[in-house]
Amino acid sequence: MKLKEMARRLDCELQGDGETEISGAAGIEEATESEITFLSNPKYAPRLKDTRAGAVIVAPGTQTARPALFSKNPYYTFAKAIELFYEPPKPIPGIHPTAAIAETAVVGEDHSIGANVVIGEGARLGKGATLYTGTVIYPHACIGDDFLAHSHAVVREYCRIGDRVILQNGAVVGADGFGFAPRQDGSLYKIVQSGIAVLEDDVELGAYACVDRATVGETRIARGTKIDNLVQVGHGSRVGEDALLAAQVGLAGSSRVGNRVMLAGQVGVAGHLTLGDRVIATAQTGIARSVEAGSRISGTPEMESALWRKNYILMQKFPEMVRTLRKLERRVEELERLLEEKKGS
Amino acid sequence: MKLKEMARRLDCELQGDGETEISGAAGIEEATESEITFLSNPKYAPRLKDTRAGAVIVAPGTQTARPALFSKNPYYTFAKAIELFYEPPKPIPGIHPTAAIAETAVVGEDHSIGANVVIGEGARLGKGATLYTGTVIYPHACIGDDFLAHSHAVVREYCRIGDRVILQNGAVVGADGFGFAPRQDGSLYKIVQSGIAVLEDDVELGAYACVDRATVGETRIARGTKIDNLVQVGHGSRVGEDALLAAQVGLAGSSRVGNRVMLAGQVGVAGHLTLGDRVIATAQTGIARSVEAGSRISGTPEMESALWRKNYILMQKFPEMVRTLRKLERRVEELERLLEEKKGS
Amino acid sequence: MKLKEMARRLDCELQGDGETEISGAAGIEEATESEITFLSNPKYAPRLKDTRAGAVIVAPGTQTARPALFSKNPYYTFAKAIELFYEPPKPIPGIHPTAAIAETAVVGEDHSIGANVVIGEGARLGKGATLYTGTVIYPHACIGDDFLAHSHAVVREYCRIGDRVILQNGAVVGADGFGFAPRQDGSLYKIVQSGIAVLEDDVELGAYACVDRATVGETRIARGTKIDNLVQVGHGSRVGEDALLAAQVGLAGSSRVGNRVMLAGQVGVAGHLTLGDRVIATAQTGIARSVEAGSRISGTPEMESALWRKNYILMQKFPEMVRTLRKLERRVEELERLLEEKKGS
């Protein structure tokens, strides 16, 4: 595709040779002369000189000698550019003969129901549903329009899902929460998990992400939140809008997570805590107390990221500090001894 | 249901208006006037004043003006109360036409075998089995009575499972352990995992929990232990009775975990270690040495929780300490210089 | 089997009674008189005295009174010994009637295609494929010879897999990477994941391990690398040859991991980092910067393991150090006061 055609489709101002032929999109380090790349973070501006890319998507005002498309949001425009060159395989319309749909289930129009899909009694799906091989919808689940479920995804009984929700392979909505009441003899009695899990519109769950059903009431993931692979959301939790939970994050039961919170990989949140809006936690942070909106935290237990980094640097000198402290002790002893002598003299 | 009827069914002493209509159970903060809640931890007693709940389940002697049910074990009674208002959808009796059961497999009475369930050669299941869609029982697995497996749960070849075991979605019993012998050239030779995994009676595994088969011998989860979602139990491990392993816990190979141990979320246990009975580890603890019975541990590597908390508080002052230490050094230098002068004078 | 027969088959020098009957292999602590065990790590040599094993596999020159087989690589020979006594159930040849193979898919000879397996349009598999129940091969995936996939394993569209690759239950190759571009209003736009995931020859993935497809280009696991259960490999990452990633490890996007790297359980690697060859990270290490080849690291953020251990020991004395520091401050104050007095006097 010619760069001038891309500029037109992506609604960007063009700089340089519009006849440049672009055949794909790539990262700034991997791009070849026939590919387009992008620069979003000014921190990486020096890489703009070294890239072999045939064209770049940059913010207005960025200095570059290359053919360029200017966009206020280069990352977003790059995402759109990828779509010009790639389309995932189209799901096969209709219902595969091996699918088993209960008589009382309702499935909207324009669907693609793959092999071995099972939809239980009383379940409802809106229009435009794509269910890949082996997706399982338990009885009485209720799902909105344009649902996309990859193979082995599961929606458990009574759970509710909004429009345009995506489940990657094996994501489970509404497995039983982890609730047991100890009996007098120490054995554990299973507490029936009578609540549900709710995903609002535009939520995405990664492969094998688990959003447990609540003991009573509901677990809820609010509009637009994206959850990565192998994440655990404990029963009764509530995650706000447009939040990002990276891979292997774990929220214990009854967590309250605000809007636009970003939890990096392997972060853990202890039970019954509240994270305010826009909290950012770096990878592996172990959150043991509630956190105010806008905080940036790190460490286990969590502290301000700035303090954590400072402590880390100091820790490198910890052995030296201990030696200094011991030496100081001896020097002070010596001083005390000398002064005592003087006094005596 | 009237509160007096609940008192009768739950075998509790009643306080207040037995005619109070209760329509459900809820947490102390969410409960409405038509719901019952409970108070178990005296720490939360102040919440008893603020709850809107129509009735409360509390320990005998608890002061409250509300309609109440008295129970020595309020949490357990609450679990029973939930059951008065909720019953999960009944599994459909019989065998779904798409299920594939090997001729040499044996399945006890009163079963519900869902769509696409596969049971291999020589496998045996007791009575009362409920196998949801897509459960896979490999050849020669042996399973007790009242087994409940949610969709995509897997029991691998030769593994053994007791009575009343529950597998949440996709839990895998007996996948290959992670064992490789390096050859002289550094490449890795797969060690056949010839052992099995065993779950004793009343064990529950969460969604995508993995209990690997042993290289030789067995991996064993003892009676009554409950394991949460996405937990890894390495090959050859043994977990005692009535233990609780929260989400994303990982046990390396050949771990020995005692009875009633409680590992909070994301705890890791290194290989070949022994945790005594009733050890409690807080979230994300990284256990690198064997731990005595009854210990309460935190941190990576683990230490007594009390020390860990103290250190954490001190860490907050670490930058200040470093400054103090540097200042002290200078002050001592100055003192030494002064004394040297005096000596000289 | 007689020990002399084992010696012959394993190509080992024999010591002691070749008529000793061996019926199985076991760990050094569990082995009985009819079993063979091994000693690889000289650290555990004292256990050689206590084992009840009927015979042992040891390095040449090891002193033992027991019947023994000598091997330069006892662990590897032990792996071979296990195979003399155990063979996993043979997969059933042919294609199960419930499998659904697209007309345009190509499957090589000598295959075992289990129940409910689905192979999509244009997919290609080499000879000797074993696909257990419910394995799903998406359209246009391309897989080499002797592929072994356990139930519910998934290979997504266009992904490429070499020869002799093993997927444990539910391993997913090529689920969507976690990529979203924030719009001006803060909502998140899904970036189509147009790249693929590639597993080279002899790779093994554990149960529910996830190797995400790249946004553009590819995610690649090089020859011989073994990945344990519940591991996350983020989009665009590259892992070298013969590496070992233990359970619950997480690599963020665009990680570069060298050959023969060993990451213990629950290690996390932040995005866009490079780990040189043979890096070893102990359990739960949180890697926040690129790491040089051959390093041995621990802690979050990572540091040299030796320093980490030293710091840990010092941390135990941290409360005492703080007390010492405070006392020193007072003693120095007192000294300063005394000197001031003297000066004054």
Side-chain angles (χ1 to χ4, degrees):
Chain A
M1 188 182 294
K2 288 192 194 306
L3 189 59
K4 66 183 181 188
E5 173 66 11
M6 290 187 69
R8 192 183 65 76
R9 292 215 207 174
L10 299 171
D11 196 20
C12 288
E13 200 189 328
L14 168 70
Q15 165 185 291
D17 184 3
E19 301 296 316
T20 309
E21 271 294 338
I22 300 296
S23 63
I28 199 161
E29 292 186 330
E30 294 80 19
T32 63
E33 287 173 29
S34 65
E35 290 176 314
I36 193 163
T37 190
F38 76 107
L39 179 80
S40 187
N41 191 336
K43 192 172 95 179
Y44 296 130
R47 294 191 188 170
L48 206 51
K49 284 185 191 158
D50 302 330
T51 183
R52 291 174 299 140
V56 294
I57 301 167
V58 292
T62 307
Q63 298 297 319
T64 175
R66 279 166 211 284
L69 302 182
F70 293 107
S71 160
K72 282 185 189 163
N73 190 343
Y75 192 35
Y76 175 73
T77 301
F78 182 70
K80 289 285 193 183
I82 296 171
E83 295 172 17
L84 299 179
F85 302 105
Y86 179 81
E87 205 176 0
K90 282 258 185 298
I92 298 161
I95 298 178
H96 194 276
T98 59
I101 304 179
E103 285 194 14
T104 56
V106 177
V107 180
E109 296 181 334
D110 296 324
H111 50 253
S112 165
I113 311 289
N116 307 323
V117 167
V118 174
I119 303 180
E121 294 291 340
R124 302 174 67 92
L125 287 96
K127 63 184 170 62
T130 300
L131 275 58
Y132 282 95
T133 299
T135 298
V136 180
I137 311 297
Y138 275 58
H140 309 293
C142 185
I143 298 173
D145 295 340
D146 300 313
F147 180 57
L148 169 57
H150 276 283
S151 57
H152 306 135
V154 174
V155 182
R156 289 274 300 262
E157 62 273 17
Y158 301 113
C159 291
R160 295 206 312 265
I161 289 184
D163 295 336
R164 296 173 302 280
V165 166
I166 299 174
L167 303 183
Q168 294 291 326
N169 302 86
V172 176
V173 179
D176 281 5
F178 194 62
F180 301 92
R183 294 191 192 90
Q184 297 304 110
D185 66 358
S187 69
L188 298 158
Y189 182 78
K190 181 174 174 71
I191 304 174
V192 64
Q193 301 294 301
S194 70
I196 61 171
V198 180
L199 307 185
E200 299 184 0
D201 297 344
D202 300 302
V203 165
E204 178 164 344
L205 299 189
Y208 303 120
C210 299
V211 178
D212 279 357
R213 66 194 311 106
T215 308
V216 288
E218 63 179 41
T219 307
R220 181 174 286 262
I221 311 295
R223 187 201 50 73
T225 282
K226 314 299 185 185
I227 292 181
D228 200 358
N229 300 346
L230 300 165
V231 166
Q232 159 72 359
V233 177
H235 54 172
S237 292
R238 193 193 185 293
V239 180
E241 300 186 350
D242 297 321
L244 284 164
L245 274 55
Q248 298 170 323
V249 160
L251 307 185
S254 303
S255 300
R256 291 287 170 274
V257 174
N259 299 324
R260 304 196 187 177
V261 164
M262 294 175 65
L263 304 181
Q266 300 182 335
V267 165
V269 180
H272 298 271
L273 302 182
T274 298
L275 309 189
D277 294 345
R278 286 163 290 106
V279 166
I280 296 176
T282 62
Q284 292 190 338
T285 299
I287 304 178
R289 289 154 303 193
S290 290
V291 177
E292 284 185 18
S295 303
R296 195 185 162 93
I297 53 175
S298 301
T300 301
E302 85 293 341
M303 59 185 86
E304 286 288 326
S305 296
L307 174 61
W308 180 75
R309 271 196 302 273
K310 193 180 279 183
N311 277 348
Y312 171 71
I313 293 164
L314 295 173
M315 284 295 286
Q316 307 274 29
K317 298 183 182 167
F318 197 39
E320 186 199 314
M321 274 181 60
V322 174
R323 282 194 298 273
T324 304
L325 186 62
R326 299 243 162 91
K327 272 189 210 153
L328 264 184
E329 255 191 307
R330 283 195 297 274
R331 286 160 70 183
V332 168
E333 267 169 40
E334 174 66 12
L335 285 168
E336 287 168 340
R337 196 186 56 75
L338 283 173
L339 270 178
E340 195 63 30
E341 273 182 18
K342 289 231 167 181
K343 220 196 258 176
S345 71
Chain B
M1 188 180 295
K2 289 191 194 305
L3 189 58
K4 66 182 181 188
E5 173 66 11
M6 290 186 69
R8 192 184 65 78
R9 293 215 207 173
L10 299 172
D11 196 21
C12 288
E13 199 188 330
L14 168 69
Q15 164 185 293
D17 184 4
E19 300 297 317
T20 310
E21 271 294 337
I22 300 294
S23 64
I28 199 161
E29 293 186 329
E30 293 82 17
T32 62
E33 285 172 31
S34 66
E35 291 176 313
I36 193 164
T37 190
F38 77 107
L39 180 79
S40 188
N41 191 335
K43 192 172 96 181
Y44 296 128
R47 295 191 188 171
L48 206 52
K49 283 184 193 160
D50 302 330
T51 183
R52 291 174 299 141
V56 294
I57 301 166
V58 291
T62 306
Q63 298 296 318
T64 175
R66 279 168 210 284
L69 303 182
F70 293 107
S71 160
K72 282 185 190 162
N73 190 344
Y75 191 36
Y76 176 72
T77 301
F78 182 70
K80 289 286 193 182
I82 295 171
E83 295 172 16
L84 299 179
F85 301 104
Y86 180 81
E87 204 175 2
K90 282 259 184 297
I92 298 160
I95 299 178
H96 195 276
T98 59
I101 303 178
E103 284 195 15
T104 56
V106 177
V107 181
E109 295 179 338
D110 297 323
H111 49 252
S112 165
I113 311 291
N116 307 322
V117 168
V118 174
I119 303 180
E121 295 290 341
R124 302 173 67 90
L125 287 96
K127 63 183 168 62
T130 300
L131 275 57
Y132 282 94
T133 300
T135 298
V136 179
I137 311 297
Y138 275 58
H140 309 292
C142 185
I143 299 173
D145 295 340
D146 301 313
F147 180 58
L148 170 56
H150 276 284
S151 58
H152 306 135
V154 174
V155 182
R156 288 275 300 262
E157 62 273 18
Y158 300 113
C159 290
R160 295 204 312 265
I161 290 184
D163 296 336
R164 296 172 303 279
V165 166
I166 299 174
L167 304 184
Q168 295 291 327
N169 302 86
V172 176
V173 179
D176 283 5
F178 195 63
F180 302 90
R183 296 191 191 90
Q184 297 305 110
D185 66 358
S187 70
L188 299 159
Y189 183 78
K190 180 172 175 69
I191 304 173
V192 64
Q193 301 294 301
S194 71
I196 61 172
V198 179
L199 307 185
E200 298 184 0
D201 296 344
D202 301 301
V203 165
E204 178 165 345
L205 300 190
Y208 303 119
C210 299
V211 178
D212 279 357
R213 64 194 310 109
T215 308
V216 288
E218 63 179 40
T219 307
R220 181 174 287 262
I221 311 295
R223 186 200 51 73
T225 282
K226 314 297 185 185
I227 292 181
D228 200 357
N229 300 347
L230 300 165
V231 166
Q232 158 72 359
V233 177
H235 54 173
S237 293
R238 192 191 186 294
V239 179
E241 299 186 351
D242 297 323
L244 284 165
L245 275 54
Q248 299 171 321
V249 161
L251 306 185
S254 302
S255 301
R256 292 287 170 275
V257 174
N259 299 325
R260 303 195 188 178
V261 165
M262 293 175 66
L263 305 181
Q266 302 182 333
V267 166
V269 180
H272 298 269
L273 301 183
T274 299
L275 310 190
D277 294 345
R278 288 164 289 105
V279 166
I280 296 176
T282 60
Q284 294 192 336
T285 298
I287 304 178
R289 289 154 302 194
S290 290
V291 178
E292 284 185 18
S295 302
R296 195 184 162 93
I297 54 176
S298 301
T300 302
E302 85 293 341
M303 58 185 88
E304 287 289 325
S305 296
L307 175 60
W308 179 76
R309 270 195 302 274
K310 193 180 279 182
N311 276 348
Y312 171 72
I313 293 163
L314 295 172
M315 283 296 287
Q316 307 274 28
K317 299 184 181 166
F318 198 38
E320 186 199 314
M321 273 181 60
V322 174
R323 281 193 299 273
T324 304
L325 186 61
R326 298 243 161 92
K327 272 189 212 154
L328 264 184
E329 254 190 309
R330 282 194 298 272
R331 286 160 69 182
V332 168
E333 265 169 41
E334 175 66 11
L335 286 167
E336 287 167 340
R337 197 185 56 74
L338 283 173
L339 269 177
E340 193 62 31
E341 274 180 18
K342 289 229 168 180
K343 219 196 258 176
S345 72
Chain C
M1 188 181 295
K2 288 193 195 304
L3 189 59
K4 67 182 182 189
E5 173 66 10
M6 290 187 70
R8 192 183 65 77
R9 293 215 206 173
L10 298 172
D11 195 21
C12 289
E13 201 188 328
L14 169 69
Q15 164 184 294
D17 184 3
E19 300 297 317
T20 310
E21 271 295 336
I22 300 294
S23 63
I28 199 161
E29 293 185 330
E30 294 81 18
T32 64
E33 286 172 31
S34 66
E35 291 175 313
I36 193 164
T37 191
F38 77 108
L39 180 79
S40 187
N41 191 336
K43 193 173 94 179
Y44 296 129
R47 294 191 188 170
L48 206 51
K49 283 185 191 159
D50 302 329
T51 182
R52 290 174 300 140
V56 294
I57 302 167
V58 291
T62 307
Q63 298 295 320
T64 175
R66 280 168 210 284
L69 302 182
F70 292 107
S71 160
K72 283 184 189 162
N73 190 343
Y75 191 36
Y76 175 72
T77 301
F78 182 69
K80 289 285 193 183
I82 295 171
E83 295 171 16
L84 299 178
F85 301 105
Y86 179 81
E87 204 174 1
K90 281 259 184 298
I92 298 160
I95 299 178
H96 194 276
T98 58
I101 304 179
E103 285 196 13
T104 56
V106 177
V107 181
E109 295 180 336
D110 297 323
H111 50 252
S112 165
I113 311 290
N116 307 323
V117 168
V118 174
I119 303 180
E121 295 290 341
R124 302 173 66 92
L125 286 96
K127 63 184 170 61
T130 301
L131 275 57
Y132 282 94
T133 300
T135 298
V136 180
I137 312 297
Y138 274 58
H140 310 293
C142 185
I143 298 173
D145 294 340
D146 301 312
F147 180 58
L148 170 56
H150 276 284
S151 58
H152 306 135
V154 174
V155 181
R156 290 274 301 263
E157 61 273 17
Y158 301 113
C159 290
R160 295 206 310 265
I161 289 184
D163 295 336
R164 296 172 302 280
V165 165
I166 299 173
L167 304 184
Q168 294 291 326
N169 302 86
V172 175
V173 179
D176 282 5
F178 194 63
F180 302 91
R183 295 192 192 89
Q184 297 305 109
D185 67 357
S187 70
L188 299 159
Y189 182 78
K190 181 174 174 70
I191 304 174
V192 63
Q193 302 293 303
S194 71
I196 61 172
V198 179
L199 306 185
E200 298 184 359
D201 296 345
D202 301 301
V203 165
E204 178 164 346
L205 300 189
Y208 304 120
C210 298
V211 177
D212 279 356
R213 65 195 309 108
T215 308
V216 288
E218 62 179 40
T219 306
R220 180 175 287 262
I221 310 295
R223 187 199 51 71
T225 283
K226 314 298 185 186
I227 293 181
D228 200 358
N229 301 347
L230 300 166
V231 166
Q232 158 73 358
V233 177
H235 54 172
S237 293
R238 192 193 186 292
V239 179
E241 299 185 351
D242 296 322
L244 285 164
L245 274 55
Q248 298 171 323
V249 161
L251 307 184
S254 304
S255 300
R256 291 286 169 274
V257 174
N259 299 325
R260 302 194 189 180
V261 164
M262 294 175 65
L263 305 181
Q266 301 182 335
V267 166
V269 180
H272 298 271
L273 301 183
T274 298
L275 309 189
D277 294 345
R278 287 163 290 106
V279 166
I280 296 176
T282 60
Q284 293 191 338
T285 298
I287 304 178
R289 288 154 303 193
S290 290
V291 177
E292 285 185 16
S295 303
R296 195 185 164 93
I297 53 175
S298 301
T300 301
E302 85 293 342
M303 58 185 89
E304 286 289 326
S305 295
L307 174 61
W308 180 75
R309 271 195 301 274
K310 192 180 279 182
N311 276 348
Y312 170 72
I313 294 163
L314 294 173
M315 283 296 286
Q316 307 273 29
K317 299 183 181 166
F318 198 39
E320 187 199 312
M321 273 182 61
V322 174
R323 282 193 298 273
T324 304
L325 186 62
R326 300 244 161 91
K327 273 188 208 153
L328 262 185
E329 254 190 308
R330 283 194 297 273
R331 286 160 69 183
V332 169
E333 265 169 43
E334 175 66 12
L335 285 168
E336 286 168 339
R337 199 185 54 75
L338 283 172
L339 268 178
E340 194 62 29
E341 274 181 17
K342 288 230 168 179
K343 219 195 257 177
S345 70

